[in-house]
């Protein structure tokens, strides 16, 4: 090992591993330190309920993973990552047994919204179809970091993206289209009237048409394992089971990169109150189920979808989000569910299934939402409870204990609200740099924000690489 490393990364989530891999492949000596027993962060897979049932404790479906420019630049398939696509990316069922859907076909998706809104939906997505590669590179970055690759579409997308989902969806007249759009925007874990929530909805819709909403064969751990394998191939070193509490506990290095919350970074690196104004958002209440059979959805489309949203109306969805953000107990939650074993038989014993679901709750909430979640499930899948073999329940305190980046259970590592929607973790030309010239941050608290896409790690690695070039040649390999 060299006397001084080029870079040390703290945290082996997808962003930390991406940053480390990108530096290692440029010839820099890199080591990663992870507090957990294994790599993964928000992309893990474990047996949470019964033997043979492999669950994803956090992320499960990855439209931005398969569409990530950072992941595309690495040979992750050679390192074991295989994407599996469901017949339908998303189903959004209604109480009458019908459903709105998203699939690779814009026509199929549009017609599921009803004849009145089919044309409006086509007109909304048409300008961006066939341009995912440039759109993803332009959107999944710091907006002021150089010129966009496709200035026309970047500007046109931006005009739609900055709008609240409630405003952007006014072009629709029916509940199906508005409900579908609100459900997509709800991934921001913010009221759908919030700034730029329309952009979240539009991005996820385009991802469904261009790349799909796949799951990795074997579970989300496959993404982290592929990144770790590629990093090691490039000469990087990973040390698990090592919690870092102070910067001086780490080996000497020219740069330190933190895949942590801003709060943890400030504490470890001695940055004082640098991020005192950073706000964390609402949390989730998550249940992982082992089931004796597939979910008995009333809507046939839901039986073909990898992801199912349960609202159903835009009003109900927004009310559920507002309750979580304003600190009120959930009553009729909006649910995001995933059923990966429909297309990946490795996830459960033959004939059995795993099922993943969460609803939104206030930050740090210590209540039990199992009853209201299962009541909502029964509303769209009568007889669901009869299939339950076991359940693993995870509220905000357990989420925070499992992953230190989830402060008070905030799986987005920061509220999607106000200026923080764009300026994360604070207003800065290079948001990955800190007041300490050798310390950087690469977590989802930085642009472009949450999701398993590695782009925060990618951009942080670029910032580190530029700093290292300025300070002289590599002292590593």
């Amino acid at each position: 090992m060299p006397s001084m490393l080029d870079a040390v990364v703290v945290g082996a989530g997808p962003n930390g591993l991406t940053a480390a891999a990108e530096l290692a492949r440029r010839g820099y000596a890199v080591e990663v330190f992870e507090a957990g027993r294994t790599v993964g962060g928000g992309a893990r897979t474990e047996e949470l309920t019964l033997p043979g049932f492999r669950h994803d404790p956090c992320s499960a479906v990855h439209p931005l993973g398969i569409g990530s420019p950072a992941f595309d630049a690495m040979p992750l398939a050679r390192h074991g990552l295989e994407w599996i696509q469901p017949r339908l990316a998303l189903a959004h069922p209604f109480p009458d047994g019908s459903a709105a859907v998203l699939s690779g076909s814009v026509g199929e998706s549009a017609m599921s919204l009803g004849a009145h809104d089919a044309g409006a939906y086509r007109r909304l997505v048409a300008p961006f179809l066939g341009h995912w590669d440039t759109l993803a590179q332009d959107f999944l970055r710091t907006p002021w970091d150089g010129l966009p690759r496709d200035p026309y579409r970047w500007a046109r997308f931006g005009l739609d993206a900055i709008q609240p989902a409630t405003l952007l969806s006014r072009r629709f007249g029916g509940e199906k289209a508005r409900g579908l759009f609100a459900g997509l925007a709800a991934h921001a874990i913010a009221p759908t009237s919030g700034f730029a929530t329309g952009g979240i909805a539009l991005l996820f819709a385009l991802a469904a048409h261009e790349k799909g909403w796949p799951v990795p064969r074997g579970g989300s751990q496959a993404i982290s394992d592929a990144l770790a394998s590629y990093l090691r191939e490039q000469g990087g070193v990973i040390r698990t089971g090592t919690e870092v509490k102070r910067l001086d506990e780490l080996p000497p290095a020219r740069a330190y990169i933190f895949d942590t919350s801003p709060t943890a970074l400030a504490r470890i690196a001695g940055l004082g109150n640098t991020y005192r104004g950073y706000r964390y958002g609402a949390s989730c209440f998550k249940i992982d189920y082992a089931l004796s059979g597939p979910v008995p959805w009333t809507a046939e489309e839901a039986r073909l979808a990898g992801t199912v949203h349960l609202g159903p109306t835009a009003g109900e969805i927004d009310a559920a989000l507002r309750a979580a953000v304003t600190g009120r107990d959930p009553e009729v939650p909006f649910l995001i569910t995933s059923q990966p074993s429909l297309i990946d038989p490795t996830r459960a014993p033959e004939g059995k299934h795993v099922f993943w679901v969460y609803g939104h709750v206030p930050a740090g909430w210590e209540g039990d939402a199992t009853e209201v979640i299962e009541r909502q499930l029964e509303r769209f899948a009568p007889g669901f409870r009869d299939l339950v073999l076991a359940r693993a329940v995870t509220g905000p305190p357990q989420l925070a204990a499992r992953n230190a980046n989830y402060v008070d259970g905030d799986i987005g590592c920061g509220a999607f609200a106000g200026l923080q929607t764009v300026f994360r973790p604070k207003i800065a030309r290079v948001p990955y740099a800190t007041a300490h010239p050798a310390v950087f941050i690469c977590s989802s608290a930085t642009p472009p924000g949450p999701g398993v896409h590695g782009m925060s790690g990618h951009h942080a690695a670029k910032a580190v690489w530029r700093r290292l070039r300025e300070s002289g040649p590599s002292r590593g390999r």
Side-chain angles (χ1 to χ4, degrees):
M1 187 179 79
S3 58
M4 176 177 284
L5 295 164
D6 291 307
V8 166
V9 177
V10 177
N15 282 313
L17 292 171
T18 297
E22 296 212 3
L23 291 169
R25 74 180 179 185
R26 288 184 169 98
Y28 291 106
V30 181
E31 288 195 13
V32 178
F33 290 79
E34 165 60 38
R37 294 180 293 104
T38 61
V39 302
R44 298 180 186 272
T45 305
E46 301 173 12
E47 290 186 346
L48 299 176
T49 55
L50 299 172
F53 291 83
R54 295 184 53 74
H55 305 273
D56 293 324
C58 187
S59 63
V61 183
H62 301 280
L64 300 184
I66 193 172
S68 164
F71 290 173
D72 279 349
M74 293 182 272
L76 299 183
R78 180 161 57 81
H79 291 269
L81 178 59
E82 178 187 353
W83 297 111
I84 312 174
Q85 298 278 5
R87 164 65 183 82
L88 296 174
L90 169 70
H92 187 112
F94 289 82
D96 65 358
S98 65
V101 304
L102 284 180
S103 73
S105 167
V106 174
E108 178 182 30
S109 305
M111 290 309 297
S112 76
L113 306 178
H116 182 272
D117 286 326
Y121 182 79
R122 287 178 181 272
R123 289 189 292 273
L124 175 63
V125 301
F128 314 110
L129 296 174
H131 300 279
W132 175 266
D133 290 343
T134 53
L135 185 65
Q137 292 190 39
D138 288 339
F139 186 80
L140 298 176
R141 70 183 185 116
T142 307
W144 51 92
D145 184 18
L147 294 174
R149 291 175 178 263
D150 187 340
Y152 166 73
R153 282 186 178 77
W154 181 79
R156 184 160 184 174
F157 183 84
L159 290 174
D160 286 333
I162 62 173
Q163 298 181 46
T166 49
L167 179 60
L168 193 58
S169 64
R170 285 184 181 177
R171 66 190 62 208
F172 303 126
E175 283 292 352
K176 284 189 176 180
R178 290 185 174 185
L180 175 76
F181 211 71
L184 295 172
H187 285 259
I189 315 182
T192 56
S193 59
F195 170 69
T197 51
I200 298 298
L202 184 54
L203 185 70
F204 277 116
L206 291 170
H209 301 318
E210 300 279 17
K211 293 291 186 177
W213 285 23
V215 298
R217 185 178 296 278
S220 293
Q221 186 72 49
I223 300 173
S224 302
D225 288 347
L227 288 167
S229 176
Y230 177 61
L231 169 60
R232 292 186 177 105
E233 182 182 77
Q234 300 305 307
V237 176
I238 301 173
R239 303 187 187 280
T240 57
T242 306
E243 182 179 1
V244 177
K245 296 182 178 179
R246 298 191 313 275
L247 198 62
D248 61 13
E249 296 174 350
L250 296 167
R254 299 166 69 196
Y256 297 90
I257 311 163
F258 285 77
D259 185 4
T260 68
S261 71
T263 304
L265 165 63
R267 183 179 66 252
I268 295 169
L271 299 180
N273 294 322
T274 299
Y275 300 108
R276 64 182 178 276
Y278 190 74
R279 291 185 293 156
Y280 295 95
S283 184
C284 300
F285 192 95
K286 182 171 180 291
I287 307 178
D288 289 284
Y289 290 96
L291 301 178
S292 61
V295 178
W297 301 109
T298 302
E300 183 64 32
E301 295 89 342
R303 302 180 185 189
L304 304 173
T307 301
V308 180
H309 285 174
L310 302 179
T313 67
E316 287 183 77
I317 294 168
D318 189 61
L321 291 164
R322 286 186 180 279
V325 170
T326 57
R328 289 179 283 125
D329 291 354
E331 294 181 358
V332 183
F334 167 66
L335 302 182
I336 298 175
T337 81
S338 170
Q339 38 193 12
S341 52
L342 287 183
I343 54 173
D344 183 3
T346 70
R347 301 291 297 276
E350 186 175 357
K352 307 296 191 298
H353 288 274
V354 293
F355 185 63
W356 175 107
V357 57
Y358 74 82
H360 304 93
V361 297
W365 191 69
E366 296 182 354
D368 186 350
T370 303
E371 175 58 30
V372 294
I373 285 176
E374 294 189 353
R375 187 189 310 147
Q376 185 79 317
L377 288 168
E378 287 278 348
R379 182 181 175 191
F380 298 93
F384 171 82
R385 284 189 174 105
D386 297 336
L387 300 176
V388 176
L389 300 174
R391 57 175 67 79
V393 174
T394 310
Q398 293 78 35
L399 286 168
R402 174 180 285 276
N403 190 325
N405 284 11
Y406 300 161
V407 176
D408 282 336
D410 174 10
I411 62 174
C413 198
F416 191 90
L419 287 177
Q420 195 171 284
T421 301
V422 178
F423 299 101
R424 301 166 63 102
K426 63 177 185 175
I427 298 176
R429 187 180 67 83
V430 183
Y432 315 97
T434 72
H436 190 306
V439 173
F440 299 80
I441 182 170
C442 72
S443 68
S444 57
T446 64
V452 178
H453 44 62
M455 292 300 291
S456 295
H458 165 78
H459 294 303
K462 285 173 60 178
V464 173
W465 178 46
R466 290 166 181 159
R467 183 73 58 84
L468 293 180
R469 283 193 307 172
E470 293 169 1
S471 62
S474 168
R475 302 176 192 181
R477 296 178 287 124

